Amino acid sequence: DERIHAVRPHHGQRDSAENLRRLMSGSQIRESHRLGDDRVQDAYSLRCAPQVHGASRDAIRYVHQVLTTEINSATDNPLIFAKDKIHLEGGNFHGQPVAIALDFLAIALAELANISERRIERTVNGALSGLPRFLTEHGGLNSGLMIAQYTAASLVSENKVLAHPASVDSIPTSANQEDHNSMGSISSQKAWQVLKNVQTVIAIEMLVAAQGIDFSRIRPKSRKLMKAGKGVEAAHRAIRKVIKHLDEDRVLHDDIELALELVRNNVVLDAVENAIGT
């Protein structure tokens, strides 16, 4: 509801909430839960998605601003000011602004994976989702998408280590002349690895969500098929063009890799934007 986010108007939160409203617009699945659902509230990973996603969006926006400033800056030493016919010794070479920003980026990205993994768990856990356990129709013989959640959990755990800031450390060099260093190169390496891990976790959530939607379409009692929201339907179609429904166990590595390509190449994003606009 837009009113919730208007009274706490962080830009990222409002944008994320707007995205969800547009994604779910016209969802018969969502409407089916308005009456007769015994849950009072959704878990934080669902109910607080705009707040958590939005905080990461705002953090990424800040990092973008810092990096845009940096790549358009002069960081030489000395700096030559030709018009003034002077050279100045300074410290613009110091990487602290970028180091802190990239540490912040790693944290912001890691949080997206954290909350994504919680939704993955809630979807494969039949006791929480109301869907078949591990999203398989043949439980007992098949483990379904159980291992997909294991994979996401391991990547999230790795991110927790990588999110430790490098910029708070400093080892002096050059006979203590360079007595405070940003360690920004380490920040950048960690942020890059966290990004790759997060992309994989999001790919797994898409994989799991598509399977969950396959089961959620069936209207209780009448057995009629329900539609998801306009944006969700577009995302589901894009995924199913490449990855088929999991009828029985198969090696999940290939499915995850295919889903990862959909994330990295913006295939699902483009499909959704074509359906509901940017």
Side-chain angles (χ1 to χ4, degrees):
D1 192 304
E2 187 175 4
R3 290 168 292 187
I4 292 173
H5 310 284
V7 296
R8 196 194 190 195
H10 293 292
H11 290 295
Q13 178 177 329
R14 289 190 298 181
D15 290 346
S16 294
E18 172 64 18
N19 283 342
L20 284 172
R21 287 196 297 271
R22 294 193 301 133
L23 283 166
M24 294 191 298
S25 176
S27 172
Q28 294 174 325
I29 297 174
R30 191 264 177 274
E31 289 300 316
S32 72
H33 291 281
R34 287 193 183 275
L35 299 174
D37 196 311
D38 59 0
R39 290 168 291 193
V40 177
Q41 292 178 321
D42 286 315
Y44 283 9
S45 58
L46 302 172
R47 179 160 41 114
C48 302
Q51 288 79 3
V52 177
H53 292 194
S56 289
R57 289 175 69 97
D58 286 339
I60 292 167
R61 185 180 290 114
Y62 163 76
V63 174
H64 182 271
Q65 175 187 330
V66 170
L67 295 181
T68 299
T69 299
E70 182 70 12
I71 63 177
N72 289 287
S73 297
T75 59
D76 298 323
N77 192 47
L79 287 166
I80 309 299
F81 295 90
K83 290 183 179 180
D84 297 332
K85 298 181 179 180
I86 192 173
H87 75 274
L88 297 176
E89 301 277 351
N92 278 3
F93 56 82
H94 201 289
Q96 196 72 5
V98 174
I100 289 177
L102 292 174
D103 278 336
F104 195 17
L105 178 63
I107 292 169
L109 292 173
E111 274 298 281
L112 290 177
N114 283 353
I115 196 169
S116 176
E117 185 279 327
R118 288 294 78 202
R119 290 191 295 262
I120 293 168
E121 156 61 14
R122 298 192 71 84
T123 309
V124 302
N125 187 334
L128 298 174
S129 67
L131 302 174
R133 294 175 68 247
F134 304 122
L135 299 177
T136 178
E137 298 164 291
H138 309 293
L141 294 176
N142 293 312
S143 59
L145 288 168
M146 178 179 70
I147 299 300
Q149 188 268 328
Y150 284 29
T151 305
S154 68
L155 293 171
V156 165
S157 182
E158 181 181 351
N159 283 350
K160 290 174 183 177
V161 176
L162 293 171
H164 179 82
S167 58
V168 298
D169 186 26
S170 177
I171 298 178
T173 55
S174 190
N176 225 42
Q177 177 71 6
E178 299 171 357
D179 58 350
H180 182 279
N181 294 299
S182 70
M183 303 302 174
S185 62
I186 300 172
S187 297
S188 64
Q189 291 179 62
K190 295 194 302 88
W192 176 245
Q193 185 59 52
V194 169
L195 171 62
K196 291 193 290 185
N197 290 348
V198 172
Q199 288 175 328
T200 303
V201 174
I202 291 173
I204 291 171
E205 183 177 7
M206 291 199 319
L207 186 67
V208 168
Q211 187 83 355
I213 289 170
D214 291 342
F215 292 117
S216 298
R217 288 180 178 281
I218 303 173
R219 189 185 300 274
K221 297 181 181 179
S222 69
R223 306 296 292 176
K224 291 183 179 179
L225 294 181
M226 296 182 290
K227 288 186 178 180
K230 187 176 180 181
V232 177
E233 285 285 342
H236 185 267
R237 286 193 299 270
I239 294 167
R240 282 288 173 256
K241 282 182 181 178
V242 179
I243 306 167
K244 66 178 183 179
H245 177 84
L246 188 71
D247 293 315
E248 57 184 26
D249 279 358
R250 59 178 181 256
V251 177
L252 292 179
H253 169 79
D254 294 338
D255 288 5
I256 293 173
E257 286 297 311
L258 288 170
L260 184 56
E261 287 302 307
L262 296 179
V263 171
R264 289 179 173 166
N265 295 326
N266 291 334
V267 174
V268 175
L269 178 62
D270 290 343
V272 170
E273 288 186 342
N274 286 335
I276 65 174
T278 57

